[in-house]
């Protein structure tokens, strides 16, 4: 994260000098998977937003590589059409009212296209002849190509850093499908380059609200003293979606909710809320603390895990099919579309505090959030008065709402000392100008400036897989519990918390 160049912060009522905006260094971005969805829906809008912010160097170039044929002019036109379509597509992550012709023109004229098979050495020798200076290779491709493309880049000499130029590779998720495959992939890519050349992306870390958790925790004196087993009873981390698997059945069938969301996205949320304070904001200081936290996660026992699969139901008042009726999904599929886990962290701060994680598709609400449940006061004059003392909660609202809520008790107006729960809520939009963002801007920019803070290091990825591996093994042949589309998930997930005397907050419950 480049702290010096954030043009976004505005303090209401307070004049502030704007920090100068630093352009990223000159480089060429080579996108493998140029014709794919990720390129169209997220990478191009993010590059456009960086161009809008004047953060790209004049000599910045984008080379698209795809196995499907196209031409420079054809690719430019396709992307221009898609960018234009976002102005009327309310479902996309990017929905501007208009496309700024100057900013899009900046990107458009820097695009060139090369058809190439990701398995053919000619694709890479051709690139080697065409590229000089700083280069970022972005692997916006299916995971099965990660290893082969990195091998081919290395063999073609494209990862050699000379004359002060950098050669970096951005690798999308899923990085491996279990501990063994993640280890093997790390070993394979690290034969071709140094750890500092590989940027393993997790787009949750591109979310402002996720990055801000560190600011809220470590830049304020208010919260630190309660951030501890003595005061926190339990923690809930939820990433609930209302959409189904859509057209991604072929990817999702062998993957499932656990691999798709837990060792990556949910563990990143876990790190943000549970890691110790790093000594500085340097990439390695932050990543060391994250690595320590993930290593302290006790391997999850199958009894602490629940898997569910959505059956037909209702979403926003419309009938929707069950997972097994989705395209490219087996009629007897046992892939989970929902997972709930109870996690324990073996360190002095969190020992005995349960962390409950859940994620699912086709659920009752779209909510990504972290809720800390605070223990009631050890001794209270309200004890025995007959008025209920509700436990306080602190809620980080990550998506789609963005803010922080503290729910606590106050006196209800009236002659008696009765309590009622109130919420102190802060919304990002009330304090900060919204910067147009699809979540990949900071990640791309950080890769250009060589800041790896928001990217996953090899050791953390492996520790995360190690934590979930016992569950993956146990689930290889396990049945899956159905839940109705549009519901809160399977009954087993309620039982998981009920054992401990806890319950999930309803999705969106205050
Ligand atoms: C992706 C998963 O990584 O994250 C998807 O593959 C999921 O299945 C998505 O829908 C959720 O991200 P977000 O930013 O929409 O919450």
């Amino acid at each position: 994260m480049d702290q010096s160049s954030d043009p976004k912060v505005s303090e209401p009522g307070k004049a502030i000098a704007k920090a100068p905006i630093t352009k990223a260094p000159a480089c060429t971005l080579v996108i493998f998977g140029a014709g794919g969805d990720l390129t169209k829906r997220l990478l191009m809008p993010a590059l456009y937003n960086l161009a809008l912010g004047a953060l790209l160097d004049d000599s910045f170039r984008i080379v698209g590589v795809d196995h499907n044929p196209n031409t420079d002019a054809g690719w430019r036109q396709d992307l221009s059409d898609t960018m234009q379509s976002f102005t009327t597509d309310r479902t996309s992550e990017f929905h501007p009212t208009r496309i700024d012709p100057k900013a899009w023109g900046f990107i458009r004229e820097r695009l060139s296209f090369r058809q190439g098979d990701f398995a053919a050495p000619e694709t890479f020798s051709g690139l080697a002849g065409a590229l000089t200076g700083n280069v970022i290779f972005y692997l916006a491709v299916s995971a099965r190509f990660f290893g082969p493309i990195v091998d081919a880049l290395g063999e073609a000499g494209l990862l050699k850093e000379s004359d002060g130029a950098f050669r970096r590779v951005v690798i999308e998720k899923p990085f491996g499908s279990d501990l063994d495959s993640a280890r093997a992939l790390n070993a394979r890519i690290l034969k071709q380059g140094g750890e500092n050349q590989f940027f393993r992306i997790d787009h949750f870390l591109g979310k402002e609200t996720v990055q801000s958790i560190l600011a809220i925790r470590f830049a304020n004196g208010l919260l630190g003293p309660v951030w501890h087993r003595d005061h926190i009873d339990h923690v809930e981390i939820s990433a609930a979606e209302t959409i189904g698997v859509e057209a991604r059945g072929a990817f999702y069938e062998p993957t499932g909710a656990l691999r798709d969301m837990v060792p990556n996205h949910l563990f990143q949320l876990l790190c943000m809320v549970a890691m110790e304070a790093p000594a500085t904001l340097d990439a390695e200081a932050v990543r060391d603390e994250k690595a320590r936290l993930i290593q302290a996660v006790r391997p999850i026992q199958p009894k602490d895990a629940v898997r569910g699969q959505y059956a037909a139901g209702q979403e926003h008042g419309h009938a929707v099919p069950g997972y097994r009726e989705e395209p490219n999904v087996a009629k007897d599929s046992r892939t989970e579309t929902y997972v709930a886990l109870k996690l324990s962290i073996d360190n002095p701060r969190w020992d005995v505090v349960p962390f409950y994680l859940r994620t699912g598709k086709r659920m009752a609400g779209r909510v990504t959030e972290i809720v800390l449940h605070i223990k009631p006061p050890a001794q209270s004059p309200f004890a025995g008065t007959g008025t209920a003392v509700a436990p306080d909660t602190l809620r980080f609202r990550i998506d789609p709402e963005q803010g922080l809520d503290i729910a606590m008790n106050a006196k209800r107006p009236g002659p008696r000392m009765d309590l009622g729960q109130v919420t102190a809520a802060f919304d990002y939009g009330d304090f900060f100008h919204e910067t147009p963002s699809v979540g990949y801007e900071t990640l791309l920019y950080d890769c250009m400036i060589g800041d790896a803070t928001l990217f996953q290091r090899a050791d953390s990825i492996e520790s995360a897989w190690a934590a979930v591996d016992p569950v993956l093994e146990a689930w290889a042949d396990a049945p899956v519990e159905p839940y109705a589309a549009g519901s809160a998930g399977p009954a087993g997930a309620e039982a998981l918390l009920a054992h401990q005397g806890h319950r999930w907050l309803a999705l969106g419950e205050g």
Side-chain angles (χ1 to χ4, degrees), residues 84 87 90 95-99:
Q84 206 50 52
T87 57
R90 295 282 106 192
H95 36 75
T97 46
R98 65 185 275 272
I99 299 295

Side-chain angles (χ1 to χ4, degrees), residues 173 203-204 207 241 248 260-261 265 361 366:
K173 63 171 270 282
H203 81 272
F204 266 44
K207 295 178 194 276
E241 300 181 89
R248 300 167 74 219
D260 188 34
M261 296 290 289
H265 302 329
K361 298 208 178 277
R366 158 120 175 84

Side-chain angles (χ1 to χ4, degrees), residues 11-155:
E11 294 177 68
K14 208 170 168 193
I16 50 161
K18 283 206 170 145
I21 301 171
T22 319
K23 273 191 205 297
C27 67
T28 302
L29 176 66
V30 179
I31 305 176
F32 290 95
D37 233 38
L38 179 70
T39 303
K40 284 186 224 158
R41 297 184 69 86
L42 294 163
L43 299 185
M44 286 303 146
L47 290 168
Y48 163 81
N49 283 334
L50 289 174
L52 264 184
L55 290 170
L56 299 173
D57 191 87
D58 257 2
S59 55
F60 176 63
R61 295 277 175 279
I62 307 157
V63 178
V65 184
D66 206 280
H67 53 269
N68 291 320
N70 210 338
T71 58
D72 291 352
W75 193 42
R76 285 179 187 164
Q77 194 53 48
D78 291 349
L79 292 174
S80 299
D81 293 346
T82 327
M83 289 294 286
Q84 206 50 52
S85 74
F86 291 135
T87 57
T88 50
D89 177 3
R90 295 282 106 192
T91 63
S92 75
E93 294 84 351
F94 178 61
H95 36 75
T97 46
R98 65 185 275 272
I99 299 295
D100 179 85
K102 194 161 162 250
W104 177 244
F106 179 95
I107 298 297
R108 186 188 158 110
E109 68 194 28
R110 285 168 172 74
L111 296 167
S112 61
F113 183 86
R114 302 173 78 91
Q115 186 189 0
D117 186 334
F118 304 150
E122 309 82 75
T123 305
F124 300 88
S125 50
L127 278 172
L131 295 170
T132 53
N134 296 328
V135 185
I136 297 175
F137 299 97
Y138 198 117
L139 310 195
V141 294
S142 155
R144 69 179 192 281
F145 293 117
F146 295 164
I149 291 181
V150 173
D151 284 350
L153 287 172
E155 281 152 21

Side-chain angles (χ1 to χ4, degrees), residues 415-427:
R416 287 196 324 210
M417 186 50 118
D418 281 342
L419 299 176
Q421 205 171 38
V422 297
T423 305
F426 134 68
D427 284 305

Side-chain angles (χ1 to χ4, degrees), residues 211-246:
Q211 294 169 33
S212 186
I213 296 171
L214 292 194
I216 289 170
R217 285 189 59 199
F218 300 131
N220 299 300
L222 183 67
L223 300 175
V226 300
W227 225 261
H228 194 266
R229 56 178 280 175
D230 291 349
H231 298 285
I232 310 281
D233 186 69
H234 64 285
V235 180
E236 275 178 72
I237 301 181
S238 304
E241 300 181 89
T242 50
I243 54 169
V245 287
E246 306 189 298

